[in-house]
Amino acid sequence: MNVVNESPRRKELTRLAAQLFVQEGFDRTTVRMLAQEMGIKSGSLFHHFRDKQEILAAVIEEGTQNALMLARQALEECGDSTSERLHAMARAHLQTLLTDRNAHVVALYEWRRLDPAARDHLSHLRDAYEALWEQVIDEALQAGLIHGDRFLVSRFVMGALNWTVRWYDPEGPRKPEDLAHELVAMIAPATHVQPGQSTKV
Amino acid sequence: MNVVNESPRRKELTRLAAQLFVQEGFDRTTVRMLAQEMGIKSGSLFHHFRDKQEILAAVIEEGTQNALMLARQALEECGDSTSERLHAMARAHLQTLLTDRNAHVVALYEWRRLDPAARDHLSHLRDAYEALWEQVIDEALQAGLIHGDRFLVSRFVMGALNWTVRWYDPEGPRKPEDLAHELVAMIAPATHVQPGQSTKV
DNA sequence: GGTTTACACTAGCGCTTGCTTGGTTGATCT
DNA sequence: AGATCAACCAAGCAAGCGCTAGTGTAAACC
């Protein structure tokens, strides 16, 4: 059984699984549905994954790794100002929801279906991501850009962002950039944003 | 089959079902588990509900009706100022999450498990609740209390609030009142809050 | 006093589930 | 040419699923 490695085939299967998990939910997605989507028979599935749980864990790990990487990259590439860093984080978050939507939706909705071992492992990844947010929010608090309780503000912001998967329509007129702008404007109204952009209301 | 009426027995069963749906998720909760929790045999369950779907719909309807009622009541009882109305809505929302937690978590997490007919019926209820929010946010926008896009701001606020079920600990030191205060302070920092309370930071 | 109603029971049908088993294929390596 | 190995398949098992049929019983109603 090809349980340990990270073959390209396994990656492709993980991507397909994410799509099905979003459409049907984890519990309603049967191994036979997964196999069919992948163009193989259900028995063959267990050559790539130890069990159904491991497919879920693979989907979530993939998505979270990706988000973490993109957020770190966004922070490195943006300017030093606190306002720019807030923007960069919000934009990166929303862009991953756009480009890597399935894995993220699964991570948000099916987290509780993970068994304790997988949950423990993956929560470290998630904590690393949330730590990035808390750090940037800390900076914004110290700079007087936003006000309030560190813990509560970061939870509220994460909530507002994560909730977007429920209503955001990538085909609509609003771009991730617009949402990020609006969110930062909402919590830090006095902010001067990136050069070249006016503070729209 | 006692499918139509709203017997007290049925209400009690709905409450128990909500608890199990939160613990296990809808799909993982079997009719046998539900029956055992209710102290009856699985066959007897179908005297009270047509099928398993109907139990889910009952749970969600109960919770949403409740939230809508409490929000309307809160708006009637609070003062006329926009700031007070914002506060009242946030406080009411968080208090329902505290007192009627199970039904709300089910409504948030298991919405997609509803069949189309039930979803259609219940979405009207939910829309009525969200309309209350949009109305209050509209007032706040017009009063210049907060700024931004009407649609986006209300979605962000709903997200921040709904997300609280993921991290809020009712046993902890923070009261719903505190969260409501902090949220309003975050999006409307210049607000003068209720008499007798200082703007804490 | 007979009928209806509400609520519960027992027993199990028909089907689906995650997963296993034992074996085949075709490419790659030595 | 033989060995190795990932990838796949056909067949099916044991368990569990939602739900039904038919029955019992005590209280409520006419």
Side-chain angles (χ1 to χ4, degrees):
Chain A
M1 317 235 166
N2 181 17
V3 150
V4 191
N5 74 12
E6 279 291 334
S7 68
R9 184 83 176 115
R10 187 177 143 125
K11 267 218 161 140
E12 172 65 8
L13 297 181
T14 302
R15 210 183 51 80
L16 286 170
Q19 193 188 340
L20 260 183
F21 287 163
V22 169
Q23 269 175 42
E24 309 287 333
F26 176 70
D27 288 324
R28 292 221 153 138
T29 305
T30 69
V31 293
R32 285 167 180 81
M33 293 164 67
L34 286 164
Q36 190 177 29
E37 191 76 11
M38 297 164 177
I40 58 180
K41 300 295 175 179
S42 73
S44 314
L45 222 162
F46 295 91
H47 171 71
H48 300 279
F49 302 93
R50 195 191 321 272
D51 53 23
K52 196 186 166 192
Q53 273 280 331
E54 199 180 78
I55 308 181
L56 177 60
V59 168
I60 295 183
E61 172 151 18
E62 175 81 9
T64 315
Q65 291 274 23
N66 232 304
L68 185 56
M69 209 182 60
L70 287 172
R72 281 183 177 143
Q73 191 179 326
L75 280 183
E76 277 174 18
E77 287 173 358
C78 76
D80 285 345
S81 86
T82 307
S83 147
E84 276 176 87
R85 288 167 65 79
L86 256 184
H87 259 96
M89 280 297 286
R91 209 168 42 233
H93 188 104
L94 288 161
Q95 268 163 359
T96 60
L97 284 188
L98 191 68
T99 59
D100 199 16
R101 195 167 189 277
N102 289 336
H104 276 269
V105 174
V106 172
L108 291 177
Y109 278 84
E110 312 287 356
W111 182 265
R112 302 176 52 227
R113 306 292 168 249
L114 289 168
D115 60 33
R119 183 151 33 189
D120 188 62
H121 165 233
L122 291 172
S123 63
H124 285 92
L125 262 180
R126 198 197 47 185
D127 288 350
Y129 180 77
E130 295 197 353
L132 277 187
W133 266 103
E134 295 195 352
Q135 181 189 323
V136 173
I137 282 175
D138 261 350
E139 295 170 21
L141 283 169
Q142 278 174 4
L145 205 67
I146 57 179
H147 308 279
D149 178 89
R150 173 178 173 274
F151 176 86
L152 289 181
V153 169
S154 61
R155 287 299 186 286
F156 285 150
V157 170
M158 293 295 294
L161 284 172
N162 285 329
W163 195 251
T164 54
V165 302
R166 295 243 178 179
W167 55 266
Y168 181 63
D169 172 22
E171 312 293 329
R174 295 183 174 86
K175 299 292 148 223
E177 170 65 36
D178 301 332
L179 297 200
H181 186 91
E182 190 82 22
L183 180 73
V184 176
M186 186 178 82
I187 64 175
T191 307
H192 298 287
V193 295
Q194 292 96 321
Q197 281 193 278
S198 64
T199 315
K200 74 170 178 187
V201 178
Chain B
M1 316 228 168
N2 181 16
V3 149
V4 190
N5 74 11
E6 280 291 334
S7 68
R9 183 90 176 109
R10 188 177 144 124
K11 269 220 160 136
E12 172 65 8
L13 298 182
T14 303
R15 212 183 50 80
L16 286 170
Q19 193 187 341
L20 260 183
F21 287 163
V22 169
Q23 268 174 41
E24 309 286 333
F26 177 70
D27 289 324
R28 293 219 153 141
T29 304
T30 69
V31 292
R32 287 166 178 82
M33 293 165 66
L34 285 165
Q36 190 177 29
E37 190 76 11
M38 297 164 176
I40 59 180
K41 300 294 176 180
S42 73
S44 312
L45 220 163
F46 295 91
H47 170 72
H48 300 279
F49 302 92
R50 194 190 322 272
D51 53 24
K52 196 188 166 192
Q53 273 279 332
E54 199 181 79
I55 308 182
L56 176 61
V59 167
I60 295 184
E61 172 151 18
E62 174 82 11
T64 315
Q65 290 274 24
N66 232 304
L68 185 56
M69 209 183 61
L70 287 172
R72 280 183 176 143
Q73 192 179 326
L75 280 182
E76 278 173 18
E77 287 174 359
C78 75
D80 285 344
S81 86
T82 307
S83 145
E84 276 176 89
R85 289 167 66 78
L86 257 184
H87 259 98
M89 280 297 286
R91 208 167 42 234
H93 188 104
L94 288 161
Q95 268 162 359
T96 60
L97 284 187
L98 191 69
T99 59
D100 200 15
R101 194 166 191 276
N102 289 336
H104 277 268
V105 174
V106 172
L108 291 178
Y109 278 84
E110 312 288 356
W111 182 265
R112 301 177 53 227
R113 306 292 166 248
L114 289 168
D115 58 34
R119 183 151 34 187
D120 188 62
H121 166 232
L122 291 172
S123 64
H124 285 93
L125 263 180
R126 197 197 48 184
D127 288 351
Y129 180 76
E130 295 196 354
L132 277 186
W133 265 104
E134 294 194 353
Q135 182 188 322
V136 174
I137 282 175
D138 261 349
E139 295 171 19
L141 282 169
Q142 277 174 4
L145 206 66
I146 57 180
H147 309 277
D149 179 89
R150 174 178 174 273
F151 177 84
L152 289 180
V153 169
S154 62
R155 286 299 186 286
F156 285 149
V157 170
M158 293 296 293
L161 284 172
N162 285 329
W163 195 252
T164 54
V165 303
R166 294 242 180 180
W167 55 265
Y168 181 63
D169 172 21
E171 313 293 329
R174 293 184 174 86
K175 299 290 148 227
E177 170 65 36
D178 302 332
L179 297 201
H181 185 91
E182 189 82 23
L183 180 73
V184 176
M186 187 177 82
I187 64 174
T191 309
H192 297 287
V193 294
Q194 291 98 320
Q197 281 191 280
S198 62
T199 316
K200 74 171 176 185
V201 179

